[in-house]
Amino acid sequence: WNSEKYGGILKFFKDDKKEVILHEDVVIKNVLLLGKNIDDKLMDEINEENIKATVYNQALNYISRRIRSREEVEKFLLRKNYDKKQIDYAIQRLESENYINDYLFATAYVNDKLHMSNDGPNKMRKHLTNLKVDESIISDVISKIDDSIINDKIDKLIDKQIRLKNKYRGNILKNKILN
């Protein structure tokens, strides 16, 4: 294998002109220099590292849009048909670099739902459970919700329902609001 540089991208060519493009971190890790000859065994190892780098970079790109749970990232990578071993490597690396943190995800999710929706603690708990966030994390985050915020939300919803359902009176109005 021989290497050549084209506009910041390192490409490797075999004698039969087969081309391989590598991620920067793979090039740096293996100290691949221009004109360096590489045997087939080393190239196989480099290809494996390059696939891991590809999986990692796709996951990083996916979480760059918004904070994600570990489960969301794993499902995304599985949809891309990557090998379980490569996915595990990428997720472990993202967790060690603190790009994936289910506690921070759950906290952000609960705060968003508290301030931008009418979802209550039970609905938030159910959604976080569906995303396979650990139950201890969910309980901890939901226990930190200030009861006054929930009570204010409930009062606003009741006032809104009273305004909307002004044709009802007494117990009928009370039952409609409770429902």
Side-chain angles (χ1 to χ4, degrees):
W1 293 84
N2 294 308
S3 60
E4 295 178 9
K5 187 174 182 179
Y6 291 100
I9 297 172
L10 197 59
K11 295 182 180 182
F12 286 83
F13 299 95
K14 198 171 183 178
D15 295 333
D16 59 3
K17 301 298 180 192
K18 180 181 174 186
E19 176 183 283
V20 177
I21 299 173
L22 301 177
H23 288 275
E24 293 173 352
D25 51 344
V26 174
V27 173
I28 292 168
K29 181 179 178 184
N30 291 288
V31 192
L32 301 176
L33 306 172
L34 292 176
K36 181 177 180 177
N37 289 327
I38 301 168
D39 64 6
D40 286 338
K41 181 182 177 196
L42 180 58
M43 195 63 201
D44 290 340
E45 292 173 18
I46 291 171
N47 279 332
E48 180 63 31
E49 288 179 31
N50 199 48
I51 292 169
K52 286 180 180 178
T54 300
V55 174
Y56 171 79
N57 285 323
Q58 282 209 331
L60 197 57
N61 185 43
Y62 181 62
I63 62 176
S64 70
R65 292 174 181 78
R66 71 169 178 84
I67 191 168
R68 309 265 183 187
S69 70
R70 183 184 207 284
E71 178 71 9
E72 286 177 299
V73 175
E74 190 171 344
K75 282 183 179 179
F76 170 77
L77 294 174
L78 284 170
R79 283 193 307 267
K80 297 282 186 182
N81 295 321
Y82 289 118
D83 184 78
K84 181 72 172 145
K85 182 177 147 187
Q86 296 161 343
I87 292 171
D88 290 342
Y89 166 81
I91 288 177
Q92 286 174 355
R93 183 172 169 192
L94 290 166
E95 285 178 332
S96 71
E97 295 169 352
N98 211 26
Y99 288 121
I100 296 176
N101 183 323
D102 278 353
Y103 187 84
L104 292 177
F105 169 77
T107 303
Y109 176 83
V110 167
N111 286 332
D112 284 352
K113 291 299 180 181
L114 272 178
H115 299 291
M116 293 191 268
S117 77
N118 290 326
D119 292 357
N122 291 337
K123 190 170 185 181
M124 289 183 240
R125 178 182 296 279
K126 183 177 180 183
H127 189 261
L128 289 170
T129 301
N130 289 342
L131 290 173
K132 294 191 172 90
V133 175
D134 187 69
E135 186 59 39
S136 63
I137 292 173
I138 297 171
S139 295
D140 185 42
V141 170
I142 289 182
S143 71
K144 291 181 180 177
I145 297 173
D146 187 7
D147 289 338
S148 65
I149 294 173
I150 299 293
N151 291 336
D152 288 344
K153 289 175 77 77
I154 291 171
D155 289 343
K156 287 178 185 177
L157 284 171
I158 290 172
D159 290 343
K160 181 179 177 182
Q161 290 299 317
I162 290 172
R163 285 192 312 274
L164 291 175
K165 299 183 186 303
N166 59 5
K167 62 184 174 185
Y168 301 108
R169 296 281 174 236
N171 285 336
I172 295 172
L173 177 60
K174 187 175 179 181
N175 288 334
K176 291 232 178 245
I177 291 172
L178 285 174
N179 288 336

